[in-house]
């Protein structure tokens, strides 16, 4: 653009501003921040001996592919034995939709935290996008964490904290389903602020913790900020940074995007990385692991 006439450059800038303002007008806060989907919670507490966790970014409306035979088989296999499921980029309404049906088939009930609704950037007109944590056990507390900042000044990101009782144990399990900001202008201040809000919850909780989700840790600088936050709270990573099967950023660093961290738990089976991105069911591969509370 540097060689273009001044008038052309001005028209280009004005056009970008108009487009941005138009998109901003289409982004709305959800009518309801927290919602529930599924048949209802059937268990009163998690087993201390076996807590299977599945984390997966399901790519917004692409979850509609779950209605096909191939999608149903993949999701049924993934969710079949899960005790906790952390999903990102879930589209509302979650009650009665494809995601809800697949959760119900696995006897899981979801808590949904909405981020925003947008016709173009989200799930479509009037449909909120957000994160969903599924379980058989009713959480004793639910906290929606919506980022103070917005990507390109337009769209926030929501994370969800839920707390669960563990059978025969006094401490309760904190689960944070995180979806972190992907784009911001020049600095990492917005990303750092969102991590600080999550870090505050991690440090306040005295019991075991699972932090899972799409952290959008696409660059080395972002990865270091994330690692600093989890290390300060005493969390460990389930997956090694060199695990090639994890979904990685296309631009800006080729770093893994999805993570599962934990504290106060033991890993009883090694973490497993799915291959859903190869089947077009999502553009992210799932992560799963089994924990026990000693």
């Amino acid at each position: 653009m540097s060689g273009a006439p001044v008038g052309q450059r001005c028209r280009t800038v004005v056009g970008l501003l108009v487009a941005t303002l138009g998109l901003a007008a289409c982004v709305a806060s959800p009518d309801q921040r927290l919602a529930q989907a599924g048949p209802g919670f059937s268990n009163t507490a998690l087993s201390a001996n076996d807590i299977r966790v599945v984390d997966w970014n399901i790519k917004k409306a692409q979850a509609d592919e779950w209605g096909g035979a191939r999608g149903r088989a993949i999701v049924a296999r993934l969710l079949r034995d899960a005790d906790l499921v952390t999903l990102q980029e879930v589209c509302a309404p979650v009650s009665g939709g494809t995601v809800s049906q697949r959760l119900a088939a696995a006897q899981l009930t979801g808590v949904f935290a909405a981020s925003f609704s947008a016709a173009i950037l989200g799930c479509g007109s009037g449909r909120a996008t957000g994160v969903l944590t599924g379980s058989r056990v009713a959480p004793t507390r639910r906290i929606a964490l919506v980022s103070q900042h917005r990507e390109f000044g337009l769209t926030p990101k929501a994370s969800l904290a839920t707390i669960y009782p563990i059978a025969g144990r006094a401490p309760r399990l904190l689960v944070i389903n995180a979806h972190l900001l992907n784009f911001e202008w020049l600095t990492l201040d917005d990303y750092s602020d969102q991590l600080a809000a999550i870090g505050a919850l991690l440090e306040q909780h005295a019991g075991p913790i699972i932090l899972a989700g799409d952290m959008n840790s696409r660059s080395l600088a972002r990865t270091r900020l994330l690692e600093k936050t989890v290390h300060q709270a005493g969390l460990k990573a389930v997956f090694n940074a060199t695990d090639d099967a994890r979904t990685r950023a296309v631009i800006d660093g080729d770093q893994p995007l999805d993570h599962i961290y934990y504290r106060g738990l033991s890993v009883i089976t090694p973490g497993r990385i799915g291959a859903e991105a190869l089947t077009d069911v999502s553009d992210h591969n799932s992560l799963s692991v089994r924990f026990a509370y000693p």
Side-chain angles (χ1 to χ4, degrees), residues 277-288:
L278 298 176
T279 66
D280 293 329
V281 174
S282 175
D283 59 348
H284 282 246
N285 289 330
S286 65
L287 305 178
S288 57

Side-chain angles (χ1 to χ4, degrees), residues 145 159 176 178 180 193-203 211 229:
L145 298 170
S159 299
I176 299 183
L180 302 190
D193 284 351
Q194 194 180 11
L195 276 174
I198 290 173
L201 274 184
L202 297 177
E203 293 184 9
L211 168 63
T229 299

